Amino acid sequence: METKISTNVNQFPSLTWHHLHINHGHLDASVTGVLELKPSAPLPQEITISEFSPKERTGEALELTTQLGADMDSLIDRALLETGSKTKRLTVKKGSNSPAVKFEIDIEDGTQAVQDIEILAEEDSVSSFIFSLSQKQNAKKEGFVCLRIRVLASERANVGIYTVNCLGKNTQVALGLATKCNDQACVELTQVELSAKNIFTGSRNVLAGYKASCLERSAWCANGTDSIDINYIARHEGRQTESNGTFSGVLSGSAKKAWRGTIEFPKGCVDASGEEQEDVLLLSPTVDNKSMPVILCDEEAVEGKHGSSIGKLSPDTLLYLQSRGIDEKTASAMLTKSKINAVARFIPDEDVKEKIRLFLEEQFA
């Protein structure tokens, strides 16, 4: 059965002037099947996996809304039901220290599929999960891939989520991320977005407990007629919570990018601190770049910082590089690779980092 999706996604928590066209993105796609998800190696004994249909699922993770928005989450649930797909629940045992679990997902040409994942990290556990999406760059058929990941970190749990996207130029991808951290829990998110027709990504992080924390780092590049739409939300609810988000990317050709970064300080999050920073390099006069860093504050005893740095390859820098035999094309490739690799180096898997390196070498030869 085919599920049609036509909805606004990555909605900005605080609406601004509509004529700016940054309040949300819009997604039109179809889902006809399930995205196969198998670990690259047997799961470590510290982690168990179970499956549930959307009607059977219970638990606190279900209450989490991703940055894609409640409407899109509802459509994902409907697609799961209509395609007979099941949610995969990964449970990390209390007090365990697990090696990284890697999922390498090869996408066939024309795939229109969804997958739903819940990660339940029990108290005092340490775990990492890598999701690497790949597709042949010469894929011709229109495709759509939707991956939803919801993370519930119990007291003092530490969870790392790493996503890598190397999809074809005719495929759309929607990555919905939602996390909730209880007392002294920490979630670390690393995202590398390298290729796709339209990319909708970001995260919604709820820091619910005392001294909960979230660290997010993201790197991306968009060229040709690609578009990338990012929505980052850090909601501080507990006392002395901490968030830090850094986003770095490169635009070239006629590519488009919209970035929304929101730090929320509701009443009661005393002594919370949050910081978000975006850094964008523009390599073409025909790119379309939109950035909106925002802090929403209803509590006095907090500290928030935000900013967006947008610039071009300066004539002085280019002249310096040319004087050393480096032309403009090579200089642009070097800068793009350096931005991506600065984030990719945090991925705890050498094979995935090598895949990123080879992809960049091929794209910027």
Side-chain angles (χ1 to χ4, degrees), residues 233-268:
I233 303 169
R235 178 175 173 83
H236 295 255
E237 295 180 353
R239 297 168 63 92
Q240 297 186 39
T241 50
E242 182 178 358
S243 69
N244 190 298
T246 57
F247 302 82
S248 181
V250 180
L251 284 174
S252 60
S254 299
K256 299 179 179 180
K257 186 235 57 179
W259 175 74
R260 307 167 195 86
T262 306
I263 302 174
E264 298 183 43
F265 293 116
K267 193 69 175 177

Side-chain angles (χ1 to χ4, degrees), residues 15 22 50 55 87 104 126 144-145 185 231 253 311 321 357:
L15 298 183
I22 197 172
S50 53
K55 292 183 178 180
T87 295
E104 291 189 288
V126 178
F144 173 61
V145 174
N231 190 28
L321 294 172
R357 187 190 69 79

Side-chain angles (χ1 to χ4, degrees), residues 12-34:
F12 198 48
S14 179
L15 298 183
T16 185
W17 297 106
H18 181 68
H19 72 268
L20 298 176
H21 300 293
I22 197 172
N23 282 325
H24 55 71
H26 187 82
L27 173 62
D28 289 307
S30 297
V31 175
T32 59
V34 60

Side-chain angles (χ1 to χ4, degrees), residues 9-13 22-24 66-69 175 177 191 200-205 216 229-233 247 258-262 292:
V9 295
N10 281 0
Q11 298 184 33
F12 198 48
I22 197 172
N23 282 325
H24 55 71
T66 70
Q67 94 291 340
L68 294 173
L175 175 60
L177 273 168
Q191 299 183 46
F200 301 92
T201 187
S203 65
R204 184 176 188 271
N205 309 291
E216 177 156 355
D229 193 289
I230 305 168
N231 190 28
Y232 165 75
I233 303 169
F247 302 82
W259 175 74
R260 307 167 195 86
T262 306
M292 183 66 73

